[in-house]
């Protein structure tokens, strides 16, 4: 459908500049009400279209856009949501400072070929208030690593993702490996909900110097931006040491932690090597492993990870 629409545009007389702008605008629907998105999706589903969905909090970068591109390739209709979910911010000042760039986001999504942008207000998502009366329990998976350093974060994330899944009911859900623990929890959520949605985990998009793209990067000072790529260098080192097979897993984690702690201005929250499915501490070399880290640089919290085998 999307392709046909493009072909039709091509065979028309080339529109004037202003008209071209409007035409482009018309290609992506911007929806703020749940009933409107459901109406749109009902029509699409009735005509047999597969729906791909990428939930975000906006301030979009190429990492987010890679999810849209993957959805365009996989599904017939791509929906992106932008919703800065208040319930997943354990630190109120982090929520206050979260970058908002609606105009730029709309432009990027249009260029990427997104079909629908869903941008609900807080009251639309939480008409009964933001209190989570029946939080789902994922035990250890929610309590470790990010769960330990950001208490309540995953409960809020699950609350909003479940609500979004109920609203959109996508065939495919696109999430980034960047938020490793998040995608594991959402995988469990989908199973618990007995949903038919297929979770597609997309690789981490990085800057040229290796820093994982993040909406938070723009808040780094020039100096801190300069040292931030050290995070990925150390993750690569962990992967290299693991593959060489000379050091024990615990020693690799210790050496990498030490290297990050030695970076000027960097505060290490954790550097851990864990089972890549359960996030339990690594026991054997032949289980699937992931190295995960969180650091603070000038008060900005950055996370990253790498699969070891
Ligand atoms: P956020 O807006 O930070 O909530 O992220 C929305 C989605 O984009 C999540 O599924 C993230 O994992 C994904 N994402 C964020 N950064 C990246 C990146 N650098 N590469 C790939 N996916 C990303």
């Amino acid at each position: 459908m999307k392709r046909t629409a493009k072909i039709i545009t091509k065979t028309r007389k080339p529109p004037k500049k202003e008209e071209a702008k409007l035409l482009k605008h018309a290609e992506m629907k911007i929806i703020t009400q749940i009933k409107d998105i459901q109406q749109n999706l009902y029509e699409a589903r009735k005509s047999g279209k597969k729906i791909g969905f990428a939930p975000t909090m906006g301030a979009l970068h190429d990492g987010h856009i890679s999810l849209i591109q993957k959805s365009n390739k996989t599904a017939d209709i791509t929906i992106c949501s932008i919703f800065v979910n208040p319930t997943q911010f354990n630190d109120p000042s982090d929520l206050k400072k979260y970058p908002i760039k609606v105009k730029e986001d709309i432009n990027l999504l249009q260029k990427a070929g997104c079909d629908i942008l869903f941008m609900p207000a807080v009251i639309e998502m939480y008409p009964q208030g933001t209190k989570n009366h029946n939080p789902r329990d994922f035990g250890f998976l929610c309590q470790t690593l990010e769960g330990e350093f950001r208490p309540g974060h995953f409960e809020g994330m699950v609350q909003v993702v479940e609500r979004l899944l109920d609203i959109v009911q996508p065939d495919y859900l696109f999430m980034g490996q960047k938020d490793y623990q998040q995608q594991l929890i959402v995988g469990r959520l989908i199973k618990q909900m007995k949903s038919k949605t297929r979770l597609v985990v997309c690789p981490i998009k990085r800057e040229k110097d290796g820093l994982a793209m993040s909406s938070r990067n723009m808040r780094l000072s020039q100096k801190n931006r300069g040292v931030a790529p050290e995070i990925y260098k150390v993750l690569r080192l962990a992967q290299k040491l693991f593959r060489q097979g000379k050091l024990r897993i615990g020693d690799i984690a210790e050496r990498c932690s030490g290297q990050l702690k030695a970076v000027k201005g960097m505060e290490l929250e954790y550097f851990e090597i864990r089972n890549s499915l359960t996030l339990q501490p690594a026991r054997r070399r032949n289980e699937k492993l992931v190295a995960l880290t969180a650091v603070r640089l000038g008060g900005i919290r950055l996370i990253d990870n790498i699969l070891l085998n």
Side-chain angles (χ1 to χ4, degrees), residues 55-58 60-64 66-67 88 98 174-179 182 202-206 212-215:
T56 81
M57 297 205 296
L60 303 180
H61 48 67
D62 278 357
H64 298 110
S66 71
L67 309 185
Q88 71 188 67
Y98 204 84
F174 298 91
M175 300 195 96
Q177 186 199 318
K178 161 80 170 33
D179 296 274
Q182 168 171 283
C202 302
I204 304 174
K205 275 267 173 188
R206 299 182 177 280
M213 289 184 181
S214 163
S215 310

Side-chain angles (χ1 to χ4, degrees), residues 7 36 40-41 65 67 84 111 125 136 139 164 184 220 294 299:
I7 292 164
D36 292 340
N40 268 271
L41 296 178
I65 296 304
L67 309 185
V84 183
K111 270 195 210 140
M125 289 296 283
R136 285 181 185 267
L164 287 167
L184 281 183
L220 291 170

Side-chain angles (χ1 to χ4, degrees), residues 171-175 183-184 186-187 190 197-201:
D171 297 280
Y172 303 96
L173 176 67
F174 298 91
M175 300 195 96
Q183 56 82 20
L184 281 183
V186 170
I190 287 172
T197 300
R198 240 193 78 200
L199 176 64
V200 181
V201 181

Side-chain angles (χ1 to χ4, degrees), residues 20-38:
K21 251 193 217 166
L22 282 171
L23 258 181
K24 261 195 131 193
H25 210 85
E27 273 175 20
M28 183 173 76
K29 286 186 184 161
I30 302 175
I31 295 179
T32 57
Q33 307 287 309
I34 293 170
K35 64 171 177 17
D36 292 340
I37 193 134
Q38 286 178 328

